[in-house]
Amino acid sequence: QVQLMESGGGSVQVGGSLRLSCTASGYTNSQYVMAWFRLTPGKKRESIATVEREGVAVIDPNGSTQYADPVTDRFTISKDDAKNMLYLEMNALTPEDTAMYYCAAKRNYARALWPGYALNPLEYEYWGQGTQVTVSS
């Protein structure tokens, strides 16, 4: 059974940094596209509201990455296939980054990183439970 578990969230001041981790089990993430999403305060939290989750960053089995515009040059996604781990290094955090952050995975396919697919939450099959990040001024 595929399972994802996030860790590393917490509270940080504006301008600070955090590193999120995601532990994957039940499959080998070298064959999967892995991504981070976030759900900002005020959004619906029911599972049917997956569409409300904002794509943050994605990495494919070859290590190719894409980022959402708001986090480009501040966040870095990486993975360690040997350990089945996914990471998100977040720097220069702002209050707008406050959210529940989710790790997600989908099987790799030809269009996996195409626009409309790469950071579309509806394309992802597996999700973690989330880890909260709070940025305060």
Side-chain angles (χ1 to χ4, degrees), residues 88-127:
L88 185 68
E89 187 76 34
M90 305 186 295
N91 299 309
L93 286 163
T94 73
E96 289 69 33
D97 296 315
T98 294
M100 182 72 77
Y101 283 75
Y102 297 88
C103 169
K106 62 179 179 179
R107 292 177 181 86
N108 192 28
Y109 56 97
R111 294 174 292 180
L113 259 61
W114 285 23
Y117 294 88
L119 292 175
N120 182 346
L122 298 179
E123 292 288 314
Y124 286 78
E125 305 166 68
Y126 306 106
W127 293 86

XYZ file of all heavy atoms in Angstrom, residues 88-127:
335
model
N 11.444 19.594 0.439
C 11.147 20.937 -0.049
C 11.880 21.924 0.852
O 11.531 22.078 2.021
C 9.648 21.227 -0.040
C 9.256 22.580 -0.642
C 9.516 22.579 -2.159
C 7.789 22.897 -0.363
N 12.901 22.543 0.302
C 13.648 23.571 1.009
C 12.977 24.898 0.731
O 12.839 25.308 -0.428
C 15.100 23.592 0.520
C 16.000 24.517 1.298
C 16.384 23.947 2.655
O 16.543 22.727 2.770
O 16.512 24.748 3.599
N 12.547 25.585 1.793
C 11.811 26.829 1.639
C 12.600 27.964 2.296
O 12.890 27.895 3.491
C 10.425 26.710 2.284
C 9.617 25.535 1.760
S 7.936 25.509 2.404
C 8.260 25.226 4.150
N 12.911 28.981 1.522
C 13.661 30.128 2.018
C 12.871 31.410 1.798
O 11.916 31.441 1.026
C 15.005 30.217 1.292
C 15.873 28.996 1.522
O 16.093 28.569 2.650
N 16.373 28.413 0.434
N 13.288 32.460 2.494
C 12.655 33.770 2.354
C 11.141 33.664 2.493
O 10.390 34.205 1.676
C 13.041 34.400 1.012
N 10.717 32.990 3.540
C 9.293 32.736 3.726
C 8.538 34.019 4.042
O 9.053 34.921 4.722
C 9.093 31.707 4.838
C 9.456 30.272 4.434
C 9.644 29.393 5.661
C 8.388 29.691 3.515
N 7.312 34.086 3.545
C 6.420 35.214 3.782
C 5.117 34.708 4.391
O 4.819 33.507 4.323
C 6.112 35.948 2.471
O 5.229 35.138 1.683
C 7.382 36.224 1.672
N 4.319 35.593 4.962
C 3.027 35.143 5.523
C 2.150 34.451 4.488
O 1.318 33.606 4.840
C 2.402 36.450 6.017
C 3.574 37.310 6.358
C 4.603 36.994 5.306
N 2.310 34.811 3.209
C 1.518 34.180 2.147
C 1.873 32.708 1.946
O 1.141 31.983 1.271
C 1.689 34.934 0.833
C 1.027 36.321 0.791
C 1.705 37.339 1.683
O 2.957 37.252 1.832
O 1.011 38.210 2.249
N 2.989 32.277 2.516
C 3.370 30.863 2.429
C 2.726 30.026 3.524
O 2.879 28.794 3.525
C 4.892 30.720 2.516
C 5.602 31.379 1.355
O 5.159 31.203 0.201
O 6.615 32.072 1.600
N 2.040 30.666 4.447
C 1.350 29.936 5.506
C 0.299 29.022 4.897
O -0.582 29.478 4.164
C 0.690 30.902 6.492
O 1.712 31.641 7.172
C -0.161 30.166 7.506
N 0.393 27.737 5.190
C -0.513 26.757 4.582
C -0.237 25.384 5.168
O 0.773 25.157 5.839
C -0.315 26.708 3.068
N -1.130 24.456 4.863
C -0.861 23.044 5.092
C -0.189 22.532 3.822
O -0.734 22.698 2.725
C -2.169 22.287 5.348
C -1.974 20.823 5.654
S -1.273 20.543 7.288
C -2.744 20.807 8.302
N 0.956 21.922 3.967
C 1.722 21.443 2.826
C 1.567 19.928 2.705
O 1.725 19.197 3.693
C 3.192 21.815 2.974
C 3.447 23.268 2.649
C 3.076 24.263 3.539
C 4.038 23.640 1.447
C 3.274 25.597 3.244
C 4.250 24.975 1.136
C 3.868 25.947 2.040
O 4.071 27.274 1.738
N 1.286 19.494 1.481
C 1.045 18.087 1.203
C 2.067 17.552 0.210
O 2.380 18.201 -0.786
C -0.337 17.882 0.604
C -1.478 18.261 1.503
C -1.978 19.555 1.520
C -2.076 17.322 2.345
C -3.024 19.913 2.337
C -3.129 17.670 3.170
C -3.598 18.965 3.161
O -4.638 19.311 3.981
N 2.515 16.357 0.468
C 3.319 15.595 -0.464
C 2.374 14.756 -1.322
O 1.378 14.230 -0.807
C 4.268 14.705 0.343
S 5.145 13.448 -0.565
N 2.654 14.637 -2.615
C 1.791 13.871 -3.501
C 2.632 13.118 -4.524
O 3.774 13.499 -4.805
C 0.810 14.791 -4.212
N 2.046 12.064 -5.084
C 2.768 11.261 -6.066
C 1.818 10.754 -7.135
O 0.625 10.524 -6.872
C 3.448 10.079 -5.376
N 2.352 10.588 -8.331
C 1.594 9.984 -9.426
C 2.568 9.173 -10.270
O 3.757 9.509 -10.354
C 0.911 11.036 -10.289
C 1.842 12.004 -10.990
C 1.066 12.996 -11.852
C 2.007 13.988 -12.545
N 1.252 14.945 -13.398
N 2.072 8.139 -10.915
C 2.912 7.357 -11.808
C 3.366 8.223 -12.972
O 2.602 9.045 -13.476
C 2.153 6.138 -12.330
C 1.848 5.106 -11.262
C 1.023 3.958 -11.830
N 0.708 2.967 -10.822
C -0.320 3.038 -10.007
N -1.141 4.062 -10.083
N -0.534 2.088 -9.111
N 4.606 8.028 -13.389
C 5.135 8.845 -14.473
C 4.481 8.474 -15.795
O 4.176 7.308 -16.045
C 6.653 8.636 -14.569
C 7.307 9.654 -15.458
O 6.824 10.776 -15.603
N 8.428 9.285 -16.056
N 4.247 9.463 -16.629
C 3.720 9.251 -17.975
C 4.210 10.394 -18.853
O 4.781 11.361 -18.357
C 2.192 9.158 -17.965
C 1.480 10.337 -17.353
C 0.961 11.371 -18.137
C 1.308 10.421 -15.968
C 0.311 12.445 -17.567
C 0.666 11.489 -15.394
C 0.160 12.500 -16.192
O -0.479 13.571 -15.622
N 3.983 10.284 -20.145
C 4.599 11.186 -21.107
C 4.270 12.653 -20.843
O 5.115 13.520 -20.990
C 4.196 10.799 -22.523
N 3.046 12.954 -20.427
C 2.644 14.348 -20.261
C 2.737 14.814 -18.813
O 2.213 15.860 -18.471
C 1.201 14.510 -20.749
C 1.028 14.280 -22.238
C -0.430 14.300 -22.629
N -1.151 13.159 -22.092
C -2.435 12.926 -22.271
N -3.159 13.784 -22.958
N -3.013 11.866 -21.767
N 3.419 14.046 -17.978
C 3.390 14.298 -16.536
C 3.799 15.720 -16.151
O 3.264 16.267 -15.188
C 4.279 13.293 -15.813
N 4.749 16.308 -16.874
C 5.213 17.649 -16.539
C 4.733 18.706 -17.520
O 5.218 19.840 -17.500
C 6.745 17.673 -16.446
C 7.302 17.635 -15.012
C 6.879 16.367 -14.294
C 8.807 17.781 -15.021
N 3.778 18.364 -18.345
C 3.217 19.348 -19.273
C 2.374 20.350 -18.496
O 1.846 20.059 -17.412
C 2.321 18.656 -20.290
C 3.064 17.911 -21.348
C 4.334 17.428 -21.294
C 2.549 17.532 -22.631
N 4.647 16.778 -22.472
C 3.579 16.822 -23.300
C 1.329 17.718 -23.268
C 3.410 16.317 -24.588
C 1.166 17.208 -24.552
C 2.194 16.514 -25.194
N 2.253 21.578 -19.035
C 1.324 22.545 -18.433
C -0.069 21.935 -18.310
O -0.546 21.289 -19.224
C 1.342 23.705 -19.433
C 2.659 23.595 -20.114
C 2.947 22.121 -20.214
N -0.665 22.174 -17.175
C -1.981 21.610 -16.945
C -1.946 20.251 -16.289
O -2.965 19.759 -15.801
N -0.783 19.636 -16.299
C -0.636 18.312 -15.688
C 0.339 18.345 -14.506
O 0.105 17.698 -13.499
C -0.108 17.307 -16.714
C -1.060 17.013 -17.838
C -1.062 17.800 -18.985
C -1.959 15.955 -17.758
C -1.935 17.536 -20.025
C -2.836 15.682 -18.805
C -2.816 16.479 -19.924
O -3.681 16.219 -20.949
N 1.420 19.073 -14.639
C 2.519 19.006 -13.661
C 2.063 19.346 -12.252
O 2.375 18.631 -11.304
C 3.649 19.932 -14.091
N 1.325 20.444 -12.093
C 0.923 20.914 -10.768
C -0.594 20.921 -10.628
O -1.145 21.715 -9.867
C 1.510 22.301 -10.508
C 3.034 22.327 -10.360
C 3.545 23.754 -10.231
C 3.479 21.499 -9.164
N -1.234 20.030 -11.352
C -2.683 19.864 -11.229
C -2.959 18.809 -10.169
O -2.635 17.639 -10.370
C -3.257 19.439 -12.571
C -4.769 19.293 -12.547
O -5.392 19.256 -11.487
N -5.363 19.198 -13.721
N -3.577 19.175 -9.058
C -3.774 18.191 -7.976
C -4.643 17.006 -8.398
O -4.510 15.915 -7.834
C -4.435 19.004 -6.872
C -5.047 20.180 -7.552
C -4.139 20.480 -8.706
N -5.501 17.194 -9.367
C -6.386 16.107 -9.789
C -5.634 15.002 -10.514
O -6.165 13.916 -10.715
C -7.500 16.658 -10.670
C -8.425 17.681 -10.004
C -9.476 18.173 -10.976
C -9.060 17.105 -8.758
N -4.389 15.285 -10.926
C -3.573 14.285 -11.607
C -2.868 13.347 -10.640
O -2.290 12.354 -11.064
C -2.523 14.979 -12.476
C -3.103 15.735 -13.672
C -3.613 14.794 -14.735
O -2.905 13.828 -15.081
O -4.736 15.022 -15.220
N -2.900 13.654 -9.354
C -2.105 12.907 -8.379
C -2.948 11.863 -7.661
O -4.079 12.128 -7.253
C -1.436 13.871 -7.397
C -0.292 14.592 -8.070
C -0.527 15.652 -8.925
C 1.020 14.153 -7.909
C 0.515 16.270 -9.607
C 2.065 14.765 -8.569
C 1.804 15.823 -9.419
O 2.840 16.428 -10.093
N -2.339 10.684 -7.527
C -3.062 9.532 -6.981
C -2.895 9.383 -5.478
O -3.783 8.874 -4.801
C -2.545 8.249 -7.645
C -2.612 8.241 -9.165
C -1.794 7.115 -9.746
O -2.164 5.942 -9.559
O -0.752 7.406 -10.394
N -1.732 9.768 -4.994
C -1.402 9.485 -3.597
C -1.062 10.776 -2.873
O -0.365 11.639 -3.408
C -0.220 8.503 -3.514
C -0.451 7.239 -4.300
C 0.214 7.016 -5.499
C -1.349 6.272 -3.857
C -0.005 5.870 -6.233
C -1.577 5.118 -4.584
C -0.906 4.927 -5.770
O -1.121 3.778 -6.492
N -1.530 10.859 -1.634
C -1.360 12.072 -0.841
C -0.975 11.714 0.590
O -1.419 10.706 1.143
C -2.668 12.859 -0.795
C -3.056 13.426 -2.118
C -3.765 12.807 -3.105
C -2.751 14.740 -2.603
N -3.918 13.653 -4.177
C -3.313 14.841 -3.890
C -2.074 15.834 -2.067
C -3.211 15.998 -4.660
C -1.967 16.984 -2.834
C -2.526 17.063 -4.112
